[in-house]
Amino acid sequence: MNMTNIILLGPPGAGKGTQAARISAEYGIPHISTGDIFRENIKQGTELGKKAQEYMNKGELVPDSLVIEIAEDRLQKDDCRNGFLLDGFPRTVTQAEALDNFLASNGGKIDWVLDLEVEKDVLMKRLLGRRVCKDCGATFNVVGMPPKKEGICDNCGGQLKQRADDTEETVNNRIDVYNNETKPLVAYYERIGNIRHLDGAAGLENVFNEIKRIVSGS
Ligand code: AP5
Ligand code: MG
C-alpha cells in the first residue's frame, strides 16, 4: 500500500479543516489537527487542555515542546501506517525540523505540503461567520455554507457554536502570528521542493479538485 503523508499549510480560516475532512475520506488517511486535539483536551478539562487554553484564547502559539510531543505521540498510532494528513502542524521551523527528524528516523518523509493561500479580508469574514457543531465538529458558515436549519448541525442535529478564538481581536492576532511564525515554513519547504500553492479563496469543490490533482500526481 502506498503511503501518503500530507501537510496542510495556510492561515487561520484558509479552509484546512474543511478540506482535511474531504482528503481524509478520499485517501483513507487520518486527519490530525493539533488544534482539535487541544480543543478536545480543553473540553475534557485535562492538564494539557488547561495549559493550551491560555495560549489559544489569545491567538498565540502553544509552546513547541508541548506541541511536538503531542504530534509525535499521535503519529505513532497504528492508523498512520498508510499515511496521514497534518492540519495546523508544523507551525514553526522548530516544529518542522522536529517532524522531519522524527519521520527520517522511521524511514518516512512528507510527500506534499499543500499551501492554501487566502487574503486577510476573506479570512476575517470566514472566521467571524464560522459555526462548528459542538458534538461532531462539522463546520459551517453563516455566509456561503449555512446549515439547513439555523444553529443546528446538518450531520448530527447538534448545536452549532462559535469558536472561542473567532473574535475580531483574536483573529487579527492569529493572522499576525501566522505571518511571523508560520510563513517561514513556505521557504523551508520550497528548499525541500515538496510544497504546492493553491488558491484557497476558490470554491470548496475547486480547491478539493486541485488537491486531488496534485496528490494523484497528474
Ligand atoms: P487551529 O485549530 O489549527 O486553528 P487555525 O490554524 O487558526 O485555523 P482554523 O481552524 O481557524 O481555520 P481552518 O484553516 O481550519 O479553516 P476552516 O476549514 O475551519 O489552531 C488553533 C490554536 O491552537 C492556535 O491559534 C494555537 O494557539 C494552537 N495550536 C494549534 N496547533 C498548533 C501548533 N502546531 N503549534 C502551536 N500552537 C498550535 O474554514 C474556516 C471557515 O471558512 C469555515 O466557516 C468554513 O465553512 C469556511 N470555508 C472553508 N473553505 C471555504 C471555501 N473554499 N469557500 C468559502 N468558505 C470556506
Ligand atoms: Mg481548523
Side-chain angles (χ1 to χ4, degrees):
M1 179 118 183
N2 267 345
M3 202 65 183
T4 310
N5 298 338
I6 302 173
I7 292 174
L8 275 177
L9 193 65
K16 301 183 295 296
T18 302
Q19 294 299 332
R22 288 165 176 75
I23 301 168
S24 169
E26 175 83 15
Y27 296 101
I29 51 176
H31 169 201
I32 302 176
S33 155
T34 40
D36 286 349
I37 294 174
F38 291 136
R39 277 183 292 276
E40 188 53 35
N41 275 274
I42 292 172
K43 207 162 133 188
Q44 309 287 341
T46 67
E47 273 311 305
L48 171 66
K50 281 178 199 147
K51 278 189 207 153
Q53 189 167 28
E54 277 177 54
Y55 299 94
M56 290 171 80
N57 285 348
K58 291 185 275 188
E60 299 292 331
L61 295 185
V62 174
D64 283 336
S65 55
L66 206 60
V67 187
I68 290 167
E69 192 185 324
I70 275 142
E72 291 185 354
D73 270 0
R74 181 62 188 87
L75 288 169
Q76 288 177 46
K77 298 250 158 73
D78 272 356
D79 62 346
C80 295
R81 269 193 323 255
N82 299 323
F84 53 79
L85 171 64
L86 287 169
D87 157 9
F89 178 87
R91 242 175 161 100
T92 63
V93 171
T94 305
Q95 292 178 20
E97 287 168 349
L99 174 65
D100 278 348
N101 290 335
F102 171 82
L103 293 176
S105 69
N106 294 294
K109 65 170 176 48
I110 296 296
D111 298 298
W112 303 109
V113 179
L114 304 173
D115 176 28
L116 301 177
E117 297 176 323
V118 183
E119 295 291 321
K120 182 171 177 177
D121 54 334
V122 177
L123 298 174
M124 185 57 87
K125 279 194 200 111
R126 282 187 183 178
L127 291 176
L128 296 183
R130 172 163 60 184
R131 299 293 181 273
V132 183
C133 176
K134 75 175 188 26
D135 295 331
C136 76
T139 300
F140 301 86
N141 204 291
V142 294
V143 253
M145 298 162 63
K148 292 195 182 80
K149 204 171 154 210
E150 199 188 324
I152 304 291
C153 177
D154 287 357
N155 296 346
C156 76
Q159 229 186 321
L160 300 183
K161 297 264 190 203
Q162 278 193 273
R163 241 168 67 174
D165 57 349
D166 281 348
T167 63
E168 194 170 343
E169 190 189 350
T170 309
V171 170
N172 263 316
N173 193 40
R174 285 160 61 198
I175 294 173
D176 286 347
V177 167
Y178 178 82
N179 287 327
N180 295 331
E181 316 250 348
T182 309
K183 226 24 194 315
L185 290 183
V186 171
Y188 180 91
Y189 290 114
E190 293 283 4
R191 274 194 297 275
I192 296 174
N194 56 0
I195 189 167
R196 296 293 178 273
H197 305 280
L198 293 95
D199 176 13
L204 207 138
E205 288 305 325
N206 290 336
V207 178
F208 185 48
N209 287 333
E210 187 61 16
I211 290 174
K212 284 192 288 192
R213 200 181 58 75
I214 293 168
V215 174
S216 69
S218 61

